[in-house]
Amino acid sequence: MAPTPRLVLLFSGKRKSGKDFVAEELQSRLGPDVCTILRLSGPLKEQYAKEHGLDFERLLDASKYKEMYRQDMIRWGEEKRQTDPGFFCRIVVEGVTQPIWVVSDTRRLSDVEWFRDVYGDVVKAVRIVATEETRKRRDWVFIAGIDDAESECGLDQGVAFDWVITNDGDQLSLEAQLEKLLQFIQEHLQPPPDI
């Protein structure tokens, strides 16, 4: 098990809302020694690629290659989670030493519950939102069986988000929101007061 982090930010949002972009912005400002980006889809894609003889690296990017396998990967991942809800969560935190963790692709209530059960109050849920129009400008197209599946809709209800970040392409607005979140993160990097 990894050491206990000071803060775990569970990012969720629809496809093309900019979850990875916002996560990378935070990491670039905090530095990779302080902040790591964890992707639950990483271990899922790696195992899926091994079992299906696919190119793991190509499954990691935002390519048409990944999109060809997305539906089957989702089905396969759901089967794994039904057997063991924490399977991918445990793998992704192995060996992590940074004090701030950003899980950039939290998609299911079972993921949120696992992190909260294991790490408690240091876990904060962050929703990244973008309008449908903005997502379309980022090449999003609704795909039945994907955009209406649990992997996209599992956190639309049932989660109280600690932060909601609007990422519609307005750089000044995003900057102001990130600044508030960074202040919050900096508070968690301070050593706890002596008792």
Side-chain angles (χ1 to χ4, degrees):
M1 183 63 72
T4 303
R6 290 281 183 89
L7 188 61
V8 179
L9 300 174
L10 301 179
F11 278 28
S12 71
K14 301 293 188 181
R15 285 192 311 127
K16 302 292 184 179
S17 62
K19 300 177 295 293
D20 286 324
F21 175 79
V22 174
E24 288 163 9
E25 282 291 308
L26 283 179
Q27 185 186 48
S28 74
R29 294 164 194 222
L30 294 166
D33 293 342
V34 172
C35 176
T36 188
I37 299 172
L38 305 174
R39 291 178 172 92
L40 293 170
S41 61
L44 183 152
K45 290 173 184 174
E46 185 173 18
Q47 194 61 39
Y48 180 83
K50 282 179 189 172
E51 289 188 20
H52 294 84
L54 300 173
D55 183 339
F56 168 59
E57 292 301 320
R58 291 187 64 200
L59 290 177
L60 291 175
D61 62 27
S63 68
K64 291 187 188 308
Y65 184 84
K66 175 178 78 176
E67 294 303 322
M68 287 187 332
Y69 297 103
R70 183 184 287 270
Q71 275 185 297
D72 191 56
M73 222 176 352
I74 289 169
R75 179 203 52 76
W76 178 87
E78 294 304 328
E79 289 173 5
K80 289 280 189 205
R81 281 187 182 88
Q82 286 173 1
T83 307
D84 179 1
F87 180 78
F88 299 113
C89 299
R90 277 192 308 280
I91 292 171
V92 82
V93 301
E94 280 179 18
V96 178
T97 59
Q98 292 92 331
I100 306 297
W101 300 359
V102 176
V103 181
S104 68
D105 60 352
T106 311
R107 297 185 175 277
R108 290 162 187 79
L109 191 54
S110 62
D111 298 335
V112 175
E113 290 169 346
W114 185 88
F115 277 98
R116 285 183 173 159
D117 287 348
V118 174
Y119 297 106
D121 291 340
V122 301
V123 175
K124 303 298 176 195
V126 180
R127 186 69 164 187
I128 310 298
V129 296
T131 64
E132 215 172 270
E133 178 182 308
T134 298
R135 294 167 58 218
K136 285 177 181 176
R137 282 196 309 268
R138 296 173 182 157
D139 296 328
W140 173 77
V141 176
F142 180 87
I143 300 171
I146 292 176
D147 291 297
D148 52 3
E150 183 184 7
S151 62
E152 287 301 312
C153 304
L155 297 178
D156 287 356
Q157 304 172 55
V159 175
F161 292 101
D162 300 287
W163 293 87
V164 176
I165 295 178
T166 302
N167 182 26
D168 273 329
D170 179 340
Q171 192 58 41
L172 289 176
S173 172
L174 180 60
E175 187 64 36
Q177 295 171 83
L178 287 178
E179 205 47 51
K180 288 179 183 173
L181 183 54
L182 284 162
Q183 288 173 3
F184 178 77
I185 293 168
Q186 291 297 342
E187 291 169 11
H188 281 78
L189 287 172
Q190 303 303 317
D194 292 334
I195 296 177

